[in-house]
Amino acid sequence: MENKKIPWWQPQVEKEDYEFIKRALDANFVNEGPLTEEFEKKIAYFVGAKHAVATTSCTAAIFLSLKAVGVGQGDEVIVPDATFIATVNAVELAGAKPVLVDIDPETLAISVEAIKKAITPKTKAIIPVHVTGRGANMEAILDIAKKNNIFVIEDAAEALGSKHKGKFLGTLGSAGCFSFAANKTLATGQGGMIVTDSDEVFKKLRPLKDHGRPVHGTGGDDTHDTIGYNFRMTDLQAAVGLGQFAHLKERLQRMKKNYQLYAENLKDIKEIKIFHSRSEEMPQWTDVATDKRDELEKYLRGKNIDCRKYWHPIHRQLPYKLPDENFPVSSALLPKSLWLPSAFTLTDEDVLRVCDEIKKFFW
Ligand SMILES: Cc1ncc(COP(=O)(O)O)c(C=O)c1O
């Protein structure tokens, strides 16, 4: 089966997805309703958070979380240079100024030293991004935030099921944001979830995502006490989330196994560095760095093996352009970094075939 395509990632529809969608359709209720509430409860329980609020995407979740803690015009929000651009765009959407900072070379997460240097009297929030499920240095970040009266909103888009010192990532800051986009462990098409232990933040989030309504409205003579927007999930999406949630544990186990197989089989190739994943962390995707990144990606593609090149550093994107010299780590590392095939649908045989091809490429 040498030519079987090995995907970098692929979502999978489960029989339970159909069952839950049938429930939504049979109830003739496709807006946000009981299934969304059930999905929120499942996620809150899973990560051990007091509240969960479903949204249309993780981008919306970050935006709403920023608004809920009062971030707005004139505020600065510190964000890492290595992230999917959504993190930074969400800050823009909230009307605040994103302040990009460099990353840590071992985790590719936000650098604590860089945060310290970037804080000004205008700093209102920090958004650590748990890149590919690796936790940012949350103790240090929470400590800095406390001392400077700054909110921490976790971008946990890639960290569902990943823990840090015994607690789930996403539950450590004022709010944590998850994504259910197609390349995530639970894929509802589009979708996101905010988790928080703060009653105060939670009370703001619901009206914020529903045109200022604290409870589900009628669309008619509702009272809108605050300004809000429409970032509600629908029960059709929640149905898919619930269907896939039934398979969450086995998916996470498989992703972990993928990483372990790569770590074991690639450890002797000195030309390639595997970014570590701690035992309690959940590698959303396995990532590596090599000077021959582009050649390796092309070679693997020729063998019917899909990889994904890392994002460009945000400071190299036109809307956020800044000089490379401000970001020595991300400028050097991201162009060398690559995500290997990491889907939970892969078998041991698939991962070992990728490892064999990588060995053939380097040796
Ligand atoms: C780190 C990170 N932040 C934010 C997002 C945005 O998530 P969504 O596509 O659900 O808006 C993603 C998803 O791609 C991501 O990987």
Side-chain angles (χ1 to χ4, degrees):
M1 287 294 280
E2 226 229 297
N3 280 326
K4 177 188 155 197
K5 171 128 178 154
I6 299 188
W8 165 70
W9 182 263
Q10 65 183 11
Q12 179 159 284
V13 174
E14 306 286 357
K15 75 173 185 338
E16 290 89 343
D17 296 14
Y18 291 99
E19 290 162 11
F20 278 105
I21 287 178
K22 188 170 181 314
R23 255 174 70 181
L25 295 177
D26 286 351
N28 198 16
F29 195 92
V30 291
N31 195 356
E32 187 178 81
L35 290 182
T36 308
E37 217 173 288
E38 200 175 321
F39 188 38
E40 288 173 334
K41 285 199 179 121
K42 283 252 171 9
I43 296 292
Y45 183 74
F46 176 72
V47 300
K50 195 163 173 193
H51 308 287
V53 177
T55 63
T56 48
S57 68
C58 183
T59 311
I62 298 168
F63 161 74
L64 292 167
S65 301
L66 290 168
K67 293 289 282 185
V69 299
V71 170
Q73 281 224 331
D75 295 327
E76 292 178 356
V77 177
I78 299 177
V79 282
D81 191 41
T83 183
F84 181 57
I85 200 162
T87 320
V88 193
N89 287 338
V91 176
E92 277 286 331
L93 190 61
K97 181 183 168 204
V99 176
L100 291 173
V101 301
D102 210 356
I103 55 165
D104 177 285
E106 293 307 314
T107 61
L108 302 186
I110 195 162
S111 152
V112 170
E113 288 314 306
I115 292 175
K116 284 183 190 159
K117 285 187 200 141
I119 288 177
T120 74
K122 290 184 178 171
T123 309
K124 186 93 181 221
I126 305 169
I127 310 183
V129 179
H130 306 306
V131 176
T132 204
R134 260 189 313 272
N137 184 345
M138 288 306 290
E139 290 75 34
I141 293 169
L142 290 168
D143 188 49
I144 295 171
K146 200 169 170 194
K147 283 184 183 137
N148 292 278
N149 212 10
I150 294 169
F151 292 100
V152 175
I153 307 295
E154 294 175 75
D155 180 339
E158 304 175 359
L160 184 64
S162 199
K163 282 185 179 172
H164 186 80
K165 308 254 163 91
K167 286 191 81 182
F168 279 101
L169 289 169
T171 64
L172 304 163
S174 292
C177 304
F178 294 102
S179 170
F180 306 124
N183 60 1
K184 303 302 186 307
T185 316
L186 303 180
T188 62
Q190 298 289 341
M193 190 77 76
I194 307 163
V195 295
T196 181
D197 282 340
S198 159
D199 295 340
E200 204 183 326
V201 170
F202 175 67
K203 260 193 227 139
K204 296 219 170 107
L205 284 172
R206 211 213 163 267
L208 266 171
K209 76 158 181 177
D210 189 14
H211 290 300
R213 288 178 287 211
V215 290
H216 197 87
T218 64
D221 64 344
D222 300 327
T223 310
H224 303 260
D225 293 334
T226 51
I227 293 175
Y229 314 90
N230 179 5
F231 288 111
R232 280 167 290 163
M233 193 177 249
T234 68
D235 269 17
L236 287 174
Q237 291 161 296
V240 176
L242 284 166
Q244 299 188 9
F245 188 86
H247 295 265
L248 180 59
K249 288 211 172 122
E250 75 207 34
R251 290 181 177 193
L252 294 174
Q253 267 168 16
R254 182 63 235 182
M255 285 149 61
K256 189 137 208 130
K257 182 86 186 290
N258 290 343
Y259 167 79
Q260 285 163 346
L261 285 171
Y262 282 126
E264 178 57 28
N265 285 279
L266 300 179
K267 68 177 188 303
D268 295 330
I269 308 179
K270 63 179 183 329
E271 294 91 342
I272 199 165
K273 170 191 164 123
I274 296 214
F275 290 103
H276 75 264
S277 173
R278 293 196 194 94
S279 63
E280 62 177 354
E281 288 174 337
M282 182 52 59
Q284 178 76 58
W285 313 297
T286 297
D287 49 354
V288 296
T290 167
D291 289 337
K292 294 203 170 140
R293 196 258 324 244
D294 291 355
E295 297 93 316
L296 176 63
E297 192 264 347
K298 193 167 166 213
Y299 172 84
L300 291 174
R301 199 154 17 92
K303 301 290 175 188
N304 225 359
I305 296 171
D306 268 357
C307 293
R308 191 176 79 165
K309 291 183 196 177
Y310 246 80
W311 313 292
H312 294 292
I314 300 292
H315 79 269
R316 286 188 184 170
Q317 302 285 5
L318 263 185
Y320 301 110
K321 205 117 181 99
L322 285 167
D324 271 1
E325 67 204 48
N326 300 5
F327 307 92
V329 180
S330 67
S331 301
L333 263 183
L334 297 198
K336 292 182 186 176
S337 300
L338 184 73
W339 281 288
L340 298 177
S342 302
F344 55 76
T345 51
L346 299 183
T347 61
D348 287 6
E349 202 183 21
D350 294 331
V351 177
L352 293 174
R353 192 178 119 207
V354 179
C355 293
D356 279 348
E357 288 298 349
I358 293 175
K359 283 179 194 161
K360 278 190 209 154
F361 174 80
F362 282 111
W363 289 347

